[in-house]
Amino acid sequence: MQQNEPVWSVSAVNRALRETIEGAFMPFWMGGEAGSVTLHRSGHAYLQIKDDKSQIRACYFGGAAECRKLGIDNGSLVEVWGNLSVYEVRGEYQFNIKKIRLAGIGALQQRFEELKRKLEAEGLFDPAVKKPIPLLPRSIGVVSSPTGAAIRDFLQIINRRFPDVNIKIFPALVQGAQASRQVAAGVDFFNRTRNVDVIVVTRGGGSMEDLWPFNEEILARAIARSNIPVISAVGHEIDFTICDFVADLRVPTPSAAAELVIGRREEFITRLERAAKDLSAVLKLRISKLRNAVERLSGSPVFHEPRRLLDVKRQYLDELDMRMSHAAQNFKNQLEHRLERAANALNTLNPRSQLERGYVMAFDPASGKVVTSSKVAAGTELELHFADGKLKVETK
């Protein structure tokens, strides 16, 4: 050994090793099992990445929150991206992590979370953009596998409750690489044809891989741009997909979708019966008030002569009362028809409509008011209204 040979310090050696290693390796992905996971209060994460033969120390500066969100713990299978370096203080080489993701199912979960954050930031999950679900749609579009258990359950409930509801099925794969495109095509199809009132996207339960087509962006975009309300009924109650968040309504199962989309027949019957009773009571009260008004008018001198007309009017009111009572019994099956008849009946009682029956209404042109008494000064100009026109006269 020569006296003039340089003597390296430990720090210089470690620094040279760090520069050599960092210069020799470009950033790369590495996979393995996480061990000795420490999520420090400083915000950094420290762990080991190992396989069945070797291990390497790793650190993720500022990555503690990310590791918590992904649920990374001892034994988690992870994939990390970063570069090799040397921790000069202890002279140990390590892997500096820049990105981390769960391997296998974990990778799918990470893709799910990334797309969910992206679409949520764009406002696709905003409750303000959700369209209301029609109370009782006349036609329902279903996008699903025509041979799956989900569509069978859906149709069974629909047929049991409202067999007359029109169901249109767009057959689509609900699993596999082409499934998301086919389901999206079904949503677009019903929007082009505009022949349904609501769309139901459905399939039964399964693993995360099975349900993955309902986590694809192409389907999320199709649902978001749909002008027709979309109900998502994918998987079981514990399953959530991107489709659920974008849809106007999420229900836990295909059966629940059928129950919700057509409502309960008994509820409609009860509501119709209650409405029938309310309408009958209102009409009877109205008729009673009109009858009392006629009775009061019958005592007026102006009606002493045409007594027969009053009797006809009373008979008409009695017949109207009987018609309304009879109509109330059939109301729950003829609601719209009964409302129209009731409106026509009330319109018949309008005093102006009596002109068609031969009555004449006298008006004071100066005030525009109806003259209701024969006590009018001589020489007063009156305007008589007939059904087919007006006539001015002067009293004597």
Side-chain angles (χ1 to χ4, degrees):
M1 177 178 176
Q2 299 180 4
Q3 294 293 328
N4 60 351
E5 288 184 354
V7 178
W8 288 47
S9 67
V10 174
S11 297
V13 172
N14 285 342
R15 183 165 54 253
L17 285 172
R18 177 178 63 80
E19 293 173 352
T20 300
I21 290 176
E22 290 181 354
F25 292 90
M26 297 291 290
F28 59 93
W29 282 100
M30 180 176 65
E33 178 183 330
S36 302
V37 177
T38 300
L39 306 181
H40 200 273
R41 62 184 178 182
S42 64
H44 308 318
Y46 302 95
L47 63 156
Q48 290 180 345
I49 309 296
K50 56 185 179 178
D51 56 24
D52 57 347
K53 295 180 180 179
S54 301
Q55 65 182 27
I56 182 173
R57 188 182 301 275
C59 62
Y60 188 5
F61 297 114
E66 180 73 9
C67 290
R68 288 191 187 96
K69 183 163 59 176
L70 294 176
I72 293 175
D73 203 349
N74 294 331
S76 298
L77 296 179
V78 297
E79 295 173 346
V80 294
W81 185 86
N83 62 284
L84 287 172
S85 183
V86 171
Y87 182 46
E88 297 179 29
V89 175
R90 288 201 297 266
E92 299 175 346
Y93 84 96
Q94 65 185 23
F95 191 86
N96 289 343
I97 300 172
K98 305 299 182 182
K99 297 179 184 178
I100 190 169
R101 67 190 183 195
L102 292 168
I105 296 298
L108 289 179
Q109 184 65 36
Q110 182 168 351
R111 286 174 57 191
F112 174 90
E113 295 295 340
E114 289 175 352
L115 180 59
K116 183 172 178 284
R117 287 195 295 269
K118 174 184 175 181
L119 298 182
E120 186 173 19
E122 294 182 24
L124 269 65
F125 305 163
D126 190 346
V129 303
K130 305 295 184 184
K131 295 175 284 296
I133 307 301
L135 182 62
L136 185 59
R138 292 169 296 179
S139 183
I140 303 169
V142 182
V143 184
S144 187
S145 169
T147 60
I151 193 65
R152 290 197 300 271
D153 293 344
F154 184 90
L155 293 177
Q156 183 180 22
I157 293 177
I158 292 289
N159 291 331
R160 185 172 71 243
R161 294 193 171 185
F162 275 99
D164 296 332
V165 173
N166 186 16
I167 306 294
K168 300 179 185 297
I169 300 175
F170 186 95
L173 292 174
V174 292
Q175 186 173 333
Q178 298 302 316
S180 59
R181 291 186 177 277
Q182 291 192 15
V183 177
V187 175
D188 291 338
F189 170 80
F190 286 124
N191 274 269
R192 287 196 306 272
T193 57
R194 304 294 296 175
N195 58 354
V196 297
D197 301 312
V198 65
I199 300 171
V200 178
V201 174
T202 186
R203 69 148 285 162
S207 65
M208 190 173 194
E209 293 97 328
D210 294 338
L211 300 180
W212 190 253
F214 298 87
N215 291 320
E216 294 287 0
E217 186 171 0
I218 185 173
L219 177 56
R221 299 289 182 189
I223 294 174
R225 65 174 173 264
S226 174
N227 294 315
I228 301 172
V230 177
I231 296 176
S232 174
V234 178
H236 299 304
E237 188 168 0
I238 60 173
D239 298 321
F240 280 90
T241 65
I242 296 296
C243 177
D244 295 330
F245 295 108
V246 182
D248 298 294
L249 181 67
R250 183 255 179 184
V251 292
T253 63
S255 298
E259 293 176 357
L260 181 142
V261 78
I262 51 87
R264 297 186 179 276
R265 189 184 190 93
E266 296 79 4
E267 293 176 3
F268 281 96
I269 291 175
T270 300
R271 291 172 63 181
L272 288 174
E273 289 176 343
R274 185 165 55 248
K277 291 179 181 179
D278 293 343
L279 180 59
S280 178
V282 169
L283 292 175
K284 285 184 176 181
L285 179 62
R286 176 63 174 163
I287 291 169
S288 176
K289 289 182 178 180
L290 290 172
R291 180 180 287 111
N292 292 337
V294 170
E295 293 293 339
R296 289 195 303 271
L297 289 174
S298 66
S300 175
V302 78
F303 283 101
H304 284 169
E305 291 297 327
R307 173 64 65 178
R308 187 182 64 82
L309 293 178
L310 286 176
D311 292 338
V312 172
K313 190 67 174 180
R314 289 193 185 97
Q315 181 180 354
Y316 173 76
L317 290 174
D318 290 339
E319 292 176 353
L320 180 61
D321 188 15
M322 289 186 289
R323 286 201 304 273
M324 291 301 102
S325 297
H326 177 71
Q329 299 300 318
N330 301 314
F331 179 79
K332 57 189 174 185
N333 296 322
Q334 308 174 42
L335 180 60
E336 293 184 1
H337 180 61
R338 288 215 39 244
L339 289 174
E340 182 178 355
R341 289 176 57 190
N344 291 337
L346 292 177
N347 184 57
T348 302
L349 297 177
N350 187 335
R352 291 189 178 274
S353 67
Q354 304 307 314
L355 297 180
E356 298 291 342
R357 298 177 176 272
Y359 286 92
V360 176
M361 298 181 67
F363 287 84
D364 180 356
S367 64
K369 295 182 179 179
V370 176
V371 178
T372 60
S373 174
S374 61
K375 298 176 181 180
V376 180
T380 300
E381 186 180 82
L382 299 178
E383 188 178 80
L384 303 182
H385 286 210
F386 297 86
D388 59 351
K390 303 176 183 178
L391 179 65
K392 290 187 177 181
V393 299
E394 186 176 299
T395 61
K396 295 183 180 180

